[in-house]
Amino acid sequence: MAKAKSSVSTATPTGGRGKRTPLTRAVARPVQPPLEPENPTGGIDLEQYVPAYLTFTATKLASGAAAVYRKYYGVGIEVWRVLVMLALEEKVSVNMVCKLIGMDKGSVSRCFKTMYEKGFITFSVDPDDGRVRYATLTPAGRAKHDEIKAVALERQRVLLSCLSDAEAQTFMGLLLRVHGNLPNVEKATQAYIKEKGPKAITST
């Protein structure tokens, strides 16, 4: 007696020549459990703790870049970051750099001073607020930016070489989304501290 055939097809739906459709890709993708950074010992499992690997990666990348930029191009990583920003914007203020990059005002002011002394920027005053100064890239500053840009992009290329092009695009999109969520992290932190945390420590 012939075995009855299943009414459920086991063939992979295709869009032609065996190509899996988005539906079959979604079905085939296993459901991932949520991250559980707290391990049985009561400590934090670093391989499940996102801030750890974000910090490890950023710190090592910055350290390697800083060593190369200072040795071969004569500038520190902070100067490079501001050069990148100035290459995109016509002019920037200290507060603009602080907001985008996350540097403190003192560090940005010192960075501006160094860049001005090296001839990389000029200053102008906001006509509506004389307290605000804007930095603008000079031709020498643009040339230094372009010089470093080549090695910076090569470092990124190698960093992402372990990913496919599609994975790299997805990764960048996720980083942008996570970065945009940082204000919510700080807001939630303050709410947690207010409800469960200790009182602020006052310096003596």
Side-chain angles (χ1 to χ4, degrees), residues 16-184:
R17 301 190 64 179
K19 184 177 180 181
R20 283 149 59 94
T21 66
L23 177 60
T24 59
R25 286 199 296 270
V27 171
R29 186 180 297 117
V31 176
Q32 297 294 326
L35 293 173
E36 296 181 358
E38 188 171 1
N39 67 21
T41 68
I44 291 180
D45 182 353
L46 296 181
E47 292 188 0
Q48 294 281 300
Y49 187 55
V50 174
Y53 269 87
L54 285 176
T55 301
F56 297 164
T57 303
T59 300
K60 292 173 183 177
L61 271 175
S63 178
V68 171
Y69 300 164
R70 190 168 295 281
K71 181 175 181 179
Y72 296 101
Y73 302 99
V75 300
I77 190 71
E78 294 85 2
V79 169
W80 164 242
R81 289 168 178 166
V82 176
L83 283 172
V84 170
M85 192 169 175
L86 280 165
L88 296 173
E89 303 287 343
E90 180 180 352
K91 57 185 179 180
V92 300
S93 66
V94 168
N95 285 338
M96 291 168 66
V97 176
C98 292
K99 184 176 181 180
L100 180 63
I101 302 179
M103 295 169 63
D104 62 78
K105 288 186 177 181
S107 296
V108 177
S109 294
R110 289 190 294 273
C111 185
F112 273 9
K113 182 175 182 293
T114 298
M115 295 175 72
Y116 179 77
E117 291 173 348
K118 289 179 176 289
F120 295 159
I121 60 174
T122 57
F123 289 115
S124 61
V125 178
D126 188 328
D128 299 321
D129 187 347
R131 297 169 300 176
V132 179
R133 290 195 310 169
Y134 290 105
T136 302
L137 209 58
T138 65
R142 166 62 74 169
K144 180 61 65 175
H145 166 272
D146 294 348
E147 193 179 358
I148 302 174
K149 181 178 73 172
V151 70
L153 292 178
E154 174 64 7
R155 286 173 61 81
Q156 172 174 288
R157 184 193 68 78
V158 178
L159 174 68
L160 300 179
S161 63
C162 59
L163 305 176
S164 68
D165 290 344
E167 287 172 334
Q169 291 288 354
T170 299
F171 179 59
M172 190 67 227
L174 293 174
L175 282 178
L176 290 171
R177 193 190 308 175
V178 169
H179 181 267
N181 194 45
L182 285 175
N184 291 328

